[in-house]
Amino acid sequence: MDPYDTPESTPRHGASSRLKDYFIGATPLRKRLESVRKQASFVPTPPRRKIPQCSQLQEDNDPQKFAFLLHKQWTLYSLTPLYKFSYTNLKEYSRLLSAFIAAEKQKGLAVEVGEDFNIKVTFSTLLGMKGTQRDPEAFLVQILSKSQLPSENRGQKVLWTGWFCCVFGDSLLETVPEDFTCVPLFLANGAETNTAIVGTWFQETFDCHFSSLAINAFNLSWMAAMWTACKMDQYMATTEFLWSVPCSPQSLDISYAIHPEDAKALWDSVHKTPGEVTQEEVDLFMDCLYSHFHRHFKIHLSATRLVRVSTSVASAHTDGKIKILCHKYLIGILAYLTELAIFQID
Amino acid sequence: MDETVAEFIKRTILKIPMTEMMTILKAWDFLPENQLQTVNFRQRKESLVQDLVLLCESKRASLRDAALLDIIYTQFHRHQKVWDVFQMSKEPGEDVDLFDMERFKSSFEKILRRALKNVTVSFRDAEENAVWIRIAWGTQYRKPNQYKPVYVVYYSQTPYAFTSFCHLKSNAPLLSQALTVASNHHKIVKMDLRSRYLDSLKAIVFKQYNQKFETHNSTMPLQETLELDMHMDSRIIHENRIEKERVQRVTQETFGDYPQPRLEFAQYKLETKFKSDFHGGILAERKEPLRCLIKFSSPHLLEALKSLAPAGIADAPLSPLLTCIPNKGMNYFKIRDK
């Protein structure tokens, strides 16, 4: 078995490169993994999905537990399984990643805002953030800045947050050998330079690969329909769609906001199958919105590009950005995103 | 020279791009030509600004001079502000008296001063009988904030005035009142029209946007573009060609041959019922309308809309809700079922 490529020989890009530019030369382990994956059957997008409900595993409906994950914009990535990752080594990983970041910053590859921060890295598990018992535990990585002041916890600011999870990831879990931990969905918030550094460390340490997870119009439509289908006691935000029109030479953006109660009424009128959302229903829902728009403006929205959808439950952008607004449906949202991530890995 | 005035002049000059420095200083006409020539315009901007401020000091520049410089800067950078449009009207049957610019200015300033002890009002005449007014607001106890002024551009031979966005909404009624009374009008109404492009707003409101081209045979350009199309793609069969011609013709009739006035957005507040021929039954029993807010944004909205039908993204003719924008002088709409 060949040893891993040493860090020095790994292709080194500027810290500002997108993560998708990184790759490590295939080692025999990686090749083995790829052949296993190819044997697994291709999983097509299902024609129906369950409407997100509160997760059965969330015993404590404590809204505070994951509150810090809400109302933040997360950039999405898919992540191949981690080789020989262990939940008992989290403290060790904190130490190693801390040292790695410090070394990177000393090399001047990462440009920070002038000051010389003391950096602290924490790894922690996020209990309950999973779909089935089979899903591995989700975990969180944070980069904190330590103030020079001696007073306790003073000036400890969170500079960067990234979390790894797998919600209803059965289709991937089944195909992966024992030494691998599957957390295909990665969400990051903070400076991209930090995301790149953390990504490099993970790739070098666990022989994995990150890819930006874009969300196409088809999936955005599904999300809009599913999130509109969610039962809400209170609507915090208007339901909004954003289309980008491919006309030249001037660009044109069309934003279409509809009162959430009216969106729900439209959905209820379209919805036939209890507890589930079907392809036909999603298509009809979107078609009705297009039709209402066309009646007034004579423009075919279906000929343009859906770029963003936003509801009281969550908002998603085609570039692979998401904001979760409602803790009740967190698991449902993550389940969909996990599915997209797995689809991209395959 | 007052410290605050010096600081104000310094910050204003710092905003000016180096390429425009000479032009704007000349337009200001406060520092004479021979003095300007003694200044080294090739040095670093900060040093240049310092030299210029010293010159202003030696000439005892006042707040009034500084305000004038600010007006000129804004005239050169009018796109940095967002402009609203107001329309004034007289009582029917009221005498149309001759407009006196000086009387207007003094009356306008008096009205503001009577209400607010602390306010800076400056004027600069412009072409077409227009005047640019700069107002820096203060309060009973605080001196005017020179860094958040409001601009009004009033075309005295018309009932229209354009105002830049005002952060202090509380002063808006006072401003409207001063404008109305000083110009001998009775009523003032804010139009549903807003844009960064002051000249486009002017073109729309004064109905000048369709006079850019000289008169010509209107079928000629259409013929030329059609021939080009036909040469480019011989796969377009006869039926499609007829349709393409129709779309081009209808688009031209709607939008005209001339460059469109420049707007960045149009906003529609819709409260209309859902009605569809193909989706019978959907929301059929619902009496309430769908409440929607639709916003079109573009660096050049009307040109973008014009290109939609030829690109196959929209029907031709485009909806009158969109094509009426320059005609009606509106880009904010509230639409309800009749």
Side-chain angles (χ1 to χ4, degrees):
Chain A
M1 191 172 79
D2 296 336
Y4 284 116
D5 287 344
T6 53
E8 287 81 48
S9 62
T10 307
R12 193 75 92 190
H13 301 267
S16 55
S17 300
R18 303 296 304 268
L19 275 178
K20 66 182 174 193
D21 293 342
Y22 284 97
F23 70 92
I24 297 180
T27 65
L29 283 159
R30 207 172 137 81
K31 284 187 182 134
R32 202 178 86 184
L33 184 60
E34 274 170 11
S35 70
V36 166
R37 265 192 250 125
K38 283 199 177 90
Q39 284 164 25
S41 55
F42 170 78
V43 179
T45 324
R48 53 188 66 234
R49 285 190 175 84
K50 289 213 166 48
I51 296 178
Q53 308 289 336
C54 294
S55 163
Q56 300 96 320
L57 291 183
Q58 243 172 290
E59 275 118 27
D60 48 328
N61 268 327
D62 180 12
Q64 288 311 307
K65 193 157 80 155
F66 298 135
F68 70 101
L69 299 172
L70 304 183
H71 302 286
K72 275 199 184 67
Q73 184 173 274
W74 301 99
T75 308
L76 301 171
Y77 299 87
S78 66
L79 177 58
T80 58
L82 308 175
Y83 179 65
K84 287 226 163 99
F85 174 89
S86 168
Y87 289 90
T88 56
N89 285 350
L90 294 186
K91 267 215 167 65
E92 175 77 359
Y93 297 151
S94 307
R95 227 180 27 84
L96 290 172
L97 182 51
S98 256
F100 185 79
I101 294 174
E104 289 293 312
K105 289 198 193 279
Q106 273 192 342
K107 284 184 195 164
L109 285 178
V111 180
E112 270 303 306
V113 192
E115 287 169 52
D116 207 335
F117 285 142
N118 266 336
I119 298 292
K120 185 171 120 173
V121 174
T122 59
F123 275 66
S124 49
T125 47
L126 291 165
L127 294 174
M129 189 174 286
K130 43 157 79 173
T132 66
Q133 289 289 11
R134 259 189 92 176
D135 288 329
E137 294 296 339
F139 63 94
L140 177 78
V141 178
Q142 284 189 310
I143 301 177
L144 306 138
S145 78
K146 277 191 300 188
S147 149
Q148 308 282 15
L149 298 169
S151 40
E152 185 86 39
N153 286 334
R154 191 152 163 215
Q156 238 198 16
K157 207 174 79 158
V158 176
L159 295 177
W160 180 94
T161 310
W163 43 300
F164 301 73
C165 64
C166 179
V167 179
F168 292 106
D170 285 330
S171 58
L172 183 62
L173 294 168
E174 281 159 11
T175 65
V176 154
E178 232 183 67
D179 291 332
F180 287 86
T181 306
C182 290
V183 277
L185 183 63
F186 173 60
L187 306 93
N189 170 281
E192 218 184 287
T193 49
N194 285 332
T195 310
I197 295 177
V198 173
T200 309
W201 184 81
F202 266 86
Q203 290 180 152
E204 290 179 1
T205 314
F206 304 111
D207 195 18
C208 59
H209 176 57
F210 289 86
S211 289
S212 292
L213 185 64
I215 308 173
N216 61 21
F218 176 82
N219 285 306
L220 286 176
S221 304
W222 263 92
M223 287 178 187
M226 288 205 303
W227 297 341
T228 304
C230 290
K231 222 187 303 229
M232 297 288 284
D233 302 319
Q234 259 190 319
Y235 287 109
M236 298 281 104
T238 190
T239 301
E240 193 178 328
F241 299 81
L242 181 65
W243 280 273
S244 171
V245 183
C247 58
S248 68
Q250 300 296 342
S251 64
L252 175 66
D253 287 333
I254 302 176
S255 142
Y256 185 167
I258 176 170
H259 194 288
E261 286 167 8
D262 296 340
K264 187 67 160 62
L266 176 62
W267 171 257
D268 287 340
S269 191
V270 159
H271 183 51
K272 297 286 180 285
T273 48
E276 275 188 335
V277 175
T278 66
Q279 184 68 65
E280 290 88 32
E281 287 168 352
V282 174
D283 290 341
L284 185 53
F285 179 67
M286 293 305 291
D287 235 23
C288 287
L289 292 172
Y290 292 153
S291 160
H292 188 66
F293 188 88
H294 182 269
R295 181 162 85 84
H296 293 86
F297 298 104
K298 299 282 180 265
I299 298 175
H300 303 285
L301 281 176
S302 47
T304 67
R305 195 170 74 107
L306 181 58
V307 155
R308 183 171 184 266
V309 300
S310 181
T311 66
S312 293
V313 170
S315 70
H317 188 284
T318 194
D319 289 343
K321 303 216 190 294
I322 193 143
K323 208 184 252 192
I324 304 167
L325 304 170
C326 178
H327 73 277
K328 251 172 86 175
Y329 298 106
L330 180 60
I331 297 299
I333 296 167
L334 294 176
Y336 195 125
L337 294 175
T338 305
E339 200 186 307
L340 293 182
I342 293 175
F343 189 73
Q344 182 164 283
I345 297 170
D346 281 336
Chain B
M1 189 162 78
D2 193 283
E3 247 176 48
T4 49
V5 174
E7 180 66 20
F8 179 36
I9 292 184
K10 178 173 138 203
R11 288 211 219 168
T12 309
I13 301 180
L14 265 173
K15 281 196 297 187
I16 304 173
M18 285 302 283
T19 49
E20 293 169 13
M21 192 64 77
M22 220 15 156
T23 320
I24 292 185
L25 289 175
K26 283 200 179 138
W28 188 29
D29 203 22
F30 177 73
L31 298 171
E33 183 86 38
N34 49 13
Q35 271 202 310
L36 281 178
Q37 281 178 0
T38 65
V39 177
N40 175 13
F41 279 84
R42 290 187 196 281
Q43 58 185 316
R44 255 178 51 241
K45 195 172 182 186
E46 279 130 24
S47 322
L48 169 65
V49 172
Q50 264 176 351
D51 287 352
L52 291 170
V53 172
L54 282 170
L55 275 183
C56 292
E57 222 157 22
S58 67
K59 284 213 77 186
R60 304 220 184 157
S62 64
L63 179 58
R64 192 171 168 184
D65 301 310
L68 188 59
L69 179 62
D70 200 18
I71 295 182
I72 296 172
Y73 172 82
T74 306
Q75 286 176 316
F76 271 77
H77 294 267
R78 48 190 77 178
H79 308 325
Q80 285 178 5
K81 306 263 180 230
V82 177
W83 302 91
D84 284 318
V85 188
F86 286 85
Q87 184 176 19
M88 295 183 279
S89 52
K90 293 196 200 278
E91 279 280 8
E94 217 179 284
D95 283 335
V96 180
D97 40 359
L98 240 51
F99 180 82
D100 183 340
M101 184 58 90
E102 295 314 307
R103 206 171 51 127
F104 165 77
K105 289 180 193 174
S106 81
S107 176
F108 183 85
E109 183 161 359
K110 238 188 256 169
I111 295 171
L112 290 183
R113 278 203 194 288
R114 239 186 284 144
L116 276 178
K117 197 169 72 151
N118 287 309
V119 65
T120 310
V121 185
S122 324
F123 302 93
R124 186 168 197 245
D125 290 338
E127 65 303 317
E128 292 177 78
N129 291 302
V131 59
W132 279 63
I133 313 171
R134 177 184 181 278
I135 305 135
W137 303 105
T139 66
Q140 289 291 81
Y141 310 105
R142 262 190 286 136
K143 289 182 76 172
N145 181 351
Q146 300 300 336
Y147 298 97
K148 288 212 162 103
V150 164
Y151 286 89
V152 178
V153 184
Y154 173 46
Y155 283 81
S156 60
Q157 299 303 310
T158 78
Y160 295 105
F162 305 89
T163 61
S164 67
F165 178 74
C166 182
H167 296 271
L168 288 166
K169 300 242 192 289
S170 52
N171 286 323
L174 175 60
L175 184 59
S176 297
Q177 187 194 26
L179 202 51
T180 318
V181 172
S183 63
N184 277 321
H185 284 92
H186 180 73
K187 218 173 68 163
I188 186 168
V189 150
K190 185 159 162 208
M191 291 176 69
D192 289 323
L193 184 60
R194 178 185 282 176
S195 172
R196 288 189 179 279
Y197 301 103
L198 186 58
D199 298 321
S200 288
L201 289 175
K202 245 183 72 191
I204 289 173
V205 147
F206 299 151
K207 306 244 178 272
Q208 292 167 340
Y209 55 90
N210 49 6
Q211 292 159 18
K212 293 279 166 66
F213 281 6
E214 277 145 350
T215 48
H216 61 287
N217 186 350
S218 60
T219 57
M220 281 276 274
L222 184 61
Q223 209 84 317
E224 283 164 17
T225 48
L226 278 178
E227 274 163 23
L228 261 151
D229 281 343
M230 275 151 60
H231 286 307
M232 280 199 289
D233 198 338
S234 54
R235 289 171 300 173
I236 297 177
I237 59 172
H238 185 68
E239 277 161 34
N240 285 4
R241 201 161 65 214
I242 301 272
E243 178 59 15
K244 262 178 103 80
E245 280 171 22
R246 187 194 73 86
V247 168
Q248 291 280 25
R249 185 174 29 90
V250 170
T251 304
Q252 191 175 336
E253 279 167 14
T254 325
F255 286 91
D257 258 338
Y258 40 82
Q260 302 295 315
R262 194 171 177 187
L263 297 170
E264 326 77 90
F265 73 93
Q267 185 172 291
Y268 298 81
K269 191 165 174 197
L270 302 178
E271 276 178 36
T272 53
K273 274 197 73 175
F274 178 78
K275 271 184 230 153
S276 171
D277 295 327
F278 302 104
H279 306 106
I282 302 287
L283 289 178
E285 280 112 44
R286 196 163 200 257
K287 294 200 184 63
E288 297 91 353
L290 295 181
R291 291 159 285 182
C292 301
L293 185 69
I294 295 179
K295 188 168 175 184
F296 296 85
S297 318
S298 168
H300 198 324
L301 179 68
L302 296 176
E303 287 293 339
L305 293 176
K306 184 175 173 182
S307 69
L308 291 180
I313 297 170
D315 299 339
L318 203 58
S319 160
L321 285 182
L322 294 168
T323 56
C324 75
I325 292 172
N327 271 330
K328 284 207 169 151
M330 290 170 80
N331 62 355
Y332 277 85
F333 298 83
K334 284 199 174 78
I335 313 287
R336 288 207 170 89
D337 286 321
K338 290 203 178 56

